[in-house]
Amino acid sequence: MTEPAWLVETRAAYDAVAEDYARLLPDVVEPPLDRALLAAYAETVGPGRPVLEVGCGTGRVTAHLHRLGLDIGGVDLSPGMVAVARRAYPELRFEVGSLTELTVPDASLAGLVSWYSIIHLPPELLPGVFAGFHRALAPGGHLLLAVKAGDRCVRLERAYGHDVAYDVHWLPPERLAAQLATAGFTVSATLVRAPVATERQSQAFLLAERTIRGGC
């Protein structure tokens, strides 16, 4: 079966930049408000419960959440990124895989984090991805999304010192909230903040819970 172009391009791009990405972003460098959201998420899920970061990249956010007490592992499309993550954080679990085809058992996770990973998917795939997130989370499980806020597609041809070719989608949070509700989530918070430092657009964050409705 032929892989879709977006998947091939995204994987190739992140394989190419993996080492320089890790060098330029060696640990969590998010602004204070973003770190506060990660801390609030960790406290909401609670320690010792299974969590997965999808699109974990070099594992820096996974490791940060682990330091905040979560029993967390990561999955990423890019073998190059996963290799860096395993080297940097050997105490954590990292696997190669796609967030469009999560292989975890049904209702097996207490938490799921997508930190700027769904921005590389064609937007028409998001309802199916959110349905997959719903399947993987236990009733009452918590989802955290981070995206670039907007409604456009940007084609990147240079990143982290490398020639690349892949898309980044800026996504409207109100549309994401509606899609999450359709997939069976209750959105508890949506935050949009202004760009800081070198950012060129606002950032959006959504916290949602898999709705408990007769255990389904």
Side-chain angles (χ1 to χ4, degrees):
M1 181 175 172
T2 303
E3 292 182 318
W6 72 265
L7 187 152
V8 174
E9 291 178 342
T10 304
R11 180 172 57 212
Y14 278 102
D15 278 346
V17 307
E19 294 293 340
D20 285 308
Y21 183 103
R23 177 178 57 82
L24 294 168
L25 298 173
D27 209 336
V28 170
V29 292
E30 274 66 17
L33 183 59
D34 300 21
R35 296 198 305 273
L37 282 169
L38 290 168
Y41 177 78
E43 184 175 349
T44 299
V45 173
R49 304 180 69 205
V51 178
L52 183 68
E53 185 188 2
V54 293
C56 64
T58 57
R60 62 193 186 89
V61 172
T62 314
H64 182 70
L65 288 168
H66 176 69
R67 291 191 291 269
L68 292 173
L70 294 185
D71 177 14
I72 187 169
V75 62
D76 197 90
L77 183 65
S78 161
M81 287 289 203
V82 169
V84 170
R86 288 172 174 169
R87 184 179 70 231
Y89 310 106
E91 72 279 11
L92 300 180
R93 309 175 305 277
F94 296 102
E95 303 293 338
V96 176
S98 173
L99 57 79
T100 61
E101 296 179 359
L102 294 181
T103 58
V104 299
D106 293 359
S108 61
L109 298 174
L112 199 155
V113 177
S114 172
W115 197 255
Y116 297 102
S117 56
I118 64 170
I119 62 174
H120 299 305
L121 276 66
E124 63 268 19
L125 298 183
L126 291 179
V129 168
F130 294 156
F133 289 176
H134 183 274
R135 177 197 64 78
L137 282 167
H142 298 280
L143 172 67
L144 172 61
L145 297 180
V147 300
K148 299 178 184 296
D151 194 1
R152 57 183 291 201
C153 177
V154 176
R155 183 72 170 175
L156 290 187
E157 297 180 342
R158 187 76 180 169
Y160 305 103
H162 294 263
D163 293 328
V164 295
Y166 68 110
D167 291 333
V168 175
H169 296 273
W170 300 6
L171 301 168
E174 62 276 7
R175 182 191 302 163
L176 295 176
Q179 291 173 332
L180 288 171
T182 298
F185 288 94
T186 299
V187 176
S188 56
T190 300
L191 172 68
V192 178
R193 67 157 175 79
V196 298
T198 61
E199 294 173 346
R200 297 180 180 179
Q201 70 287 314
S202 297
Q203 313 293 318
F205 308 87
L206 291 90
L207 286 165
E209 179 179 348
R210 177 178 163 174
T211 306
I212 301 175
R213 193 172 294 164
C216 299

